[in-house]
Amino acid sequence: MRIAGIRKMALLPAIAAVAALIAAAAIWAPAFAKAMARGGARPQARPDLPTFFKNTVGLTAAQISSIQSGKAVVKVMQSRTPEEIFLFGAVFIQAAPESFLKLSRDLNEARKAPEILAIESFHNPPQLSDLRGFGLDPGEIQDLKNCKPGDCEIQIPADSMVALQHSINWSAPNANEQVNQLVRNSVLGHLLAYQRGGDPILGTYNDKPVPTEVSKEFERLLSFSKELPEYLPEFYRYLLDYPKGKPANVEDRFYWAKVKFGLKPTLRVVQVVTFSGDASDGIAYAIAEKQLYSSHYFKAALDLKFCIRGEDPKRPGFYLMMAMGSSQEGLTGLTGWIVRRVAVSRSVTSLREQLGEVKAELEKK
């Protein structure tokens, strides 16, 4: 039986750290690609990992040696604002990179984690039946009933907020089901629209006095690494320009999850973009998990994972690298500073444990 950390690994973005509510790691900063290659549409066959670890991530010789010997190393990357959290983690695993891809897609394993209240994949194309079980709790529905633009407990655009409030017969005995049916219809409609029109469809959250334009938040997270376009230019452009210009070696999947975050469960809709390299490529896989919606906490979240083939033919395996970046509320001011320190500390510990557990799981097969 796989241990809990392995289950969490299947959907890191869905259990990322949320200030004091602390779950797993925050989500990864694309501080990854620097020094690994220079130009071209195809990645180089053998990225210069020691140079990348030293010059880009800022790891010491001892930390680099630890990664190469199979010990997980995690570093907090410098963020640009207090609301952003960026982590980098890496470990060498003596297994085929395909084994990690399979593990990362194992939703049945993810369902065993106590933090996961529900998780389901979307069909292609998405169907309303895919959202069975997706819904707000009674307390959240009451919050939604009382929402006003700029003052709401749920992240939602102002137009959707007003339209939903005026569409519900709040005195009816099935008012809660009315709300959740509208929510499911709205999520499906927005997801289908996103698949046609990309980031502009993500809209603007009006739950706080300062609105959050979701596409801009995502663009900021992705811009943390200016070198990514040099290393995987088509992959990078596709993340920004989706659904335009899809490369032949890229696959899209979508899932939703309801995750337990202490005081409030959180509904999330996530896009998974997977790049598959050729057998001769240094990067076997690049996986981006992009949050399209979150009912609480996360304004934006991006999780990038890279499987880099090992350079020693006598020691087969791959380097698993993760960069996690998120933009969250409640991390500013004195209280926010304290909350941030706790969240970052526990996130580092969690990510290090997860990397170690994944290594152990994959190497025992």
Side-chain angles (χ1 to χ4, degrees):
M1 180 180 296
R2 294 176 181 170
I3 52 183
I6 301 297
R7 300 170 192 156
K8 294 178 182 178
M9 198 66 209
L11 62 157
L12 272 173
I15 50 178
V18 180
L21 302 179
I22 330 174
I27 294 173
W28 85 264
F32 162 68
K34 190 173 184 178
M36 306 243 310
R38 303 298 177 199
R42 298 292 302 166
Q44 67 183 46
R46 287 287 176 263
D48 185 356
L49 292 183
T51 299
F52 161 67
F53 288 144
K54 178 181 178 182
N55 295 345
T56 301
V57 185
L59 299 182
T60 65
Q63 289 173 317
I64 295 172
S65 178
S66 290
I67 293 173
Q68 293 171 333
S69 65
K71 296 180 181 178
V73 171
V74 176
K75 178 171 180 170
V76 181
M77 308 297 290
Q78 184 175 0
S79 61
R80 298 162 296 188
T81 69
E83 292 185 335
E84 294 177 338
I85 296 178
F86 294 115
L87 299 180
F88 172 86
V91 68
F92 182 79
I93 300 175
Q94 290 184 276
E98 290 75 16
S99 62
F100 174 75
L101 182 67
K102 181 179 179 181
L103 176 62
S104 71
R105 293 179 171 182
D106 192 348
L107 295 190
N108 285 329
E109 195 63 36
R111 291 186 182 100
K112 299 175 184 177
E115 297 89 352
I116 306 305
L117 303 177
I119 181 170
E120 295 292 343
S121 295
F122 285 97
H123 284 87
N124 184 20
Q127 304 170 12
L128 189 60
S129 59
D130 297 333
L131 287 159
R132 188 177 296 111
F134 186 100
L136 301 172
D137 290 345
E140 294 177 298
I141 292 174
Q142 188 62 35
D143 289 337
L144 187 59
K145 178 182 177 181
N146 300 320
C147 276
K148 297 178 182 178
D151 183 13
C152 188
E153 294 297 319
I154 297 172
Q155 292 190 145
I156 187 173
D159 55 350
S160 298
M161 185 188 306
V162 174
L164 191 148
Q165 288 172 336
H166 289 135
S167 301
I168 301 300
N169 178 1
W170 294 99
S171 62
N174 68 337
N176 287 0
E177 179 53 34
Q178 289 182 52
V179 169
N180 281 328
Q181 188 59 51
L182 282 174
V183 167
R184 289 189 284 269
N185 286 333
S186 177
V187 168
L188 177 63
H190 277 83
L191 178 55
L192 291 171
Y194 171 76
Q195 291 180 337
R196 295 190 300 267
D199 282 2
I201 304 301
L202 297 178
T204 300
Y205 295 150
N206 298 103
D207 56 308
K208 300 292 187 294
V210 179
T212 298
E213 190 173 351
V214 180
S215 62
K216 295 297 184 183
E217 289 293 326
F218 169 70
E219 189 174 346
R220 275 180 54 79
L221 288 181
L222 195 57
S223 72
F224 189 77
S225 172
K226 296 180 180 178
E227 294 77 17
L228 183 57
E230 297 181 25
Y231 194 61
L232 293 175
E234 295 177 350
F235 182 67
Y236 177 85
R237 283 197 299 269
Y238 185 61
L239 289 177
L240 285 176
D241 296 340
Y242 174 88
K244 300 176 183 177
K246 181 178 180 180
N249 55 350
V250 166
E251 175 192 5
D252 291 297
R253 297 184 300 114
F254 297 84
Y255 73 84
W256 68 265
K258 188 171 186 178
V259 188
K260 185 165 56 178
F261 279 137
L263 297 177
K264 296 178 181 179
T266 298
L267 293 168
R268 303 183 75 239
V269 178
V270 177
Q271 177 185 16
V272 183
V273 183
T274 301
F275 161 89
S276 298
D278 292 336
S280 60
D281 288 335
I283 293 185
Y285 299 103
I287 305 170
E289 297 203 22
K290 174 183 176 182
Q291 173 189 287
L292 305 183
Y293 175 72
S294 176
S295 58
H296 301 293
Y297 309 122
F298 297 102
K299 295 190 292 184
L302 176 66
D303 177 349
L304 296 178
K305 307 169 189 173
F306 290 82
C307 296
I308 311 296
R309 302 184 196 279
E311 65 278 0
D312 185 354
K314 296 180 180 179
R315 188 179 177 230
F318 69 99
Y319 291 89
L320 174 60
M321 302 183 191
M322 300 185 181
M324 299 180 175
S326 65
S327 177
Q328 306 175 30
E329 296 285 354
L331 301 184
T332 57
L334 177 59
T335 302
W337 178 80
I338 297 172
V339 167
R340 177 187 170 87
R341 286 194 64 183
V342 174
V344 170
S345 175
R346 298 195 186 182
S347 294
V348 168
T349 299
S350 179
L351 180 54
R352 185 182 296 113
E353 290 176 350
Q354 289 165 15
L355 287 168
E357 290 167 358
V358 169
K359 173 183 171 67
E361 175 66 23
L362 297 184
E363 288 185 347
K364 77 179 184 182
K365 293 184 176 182

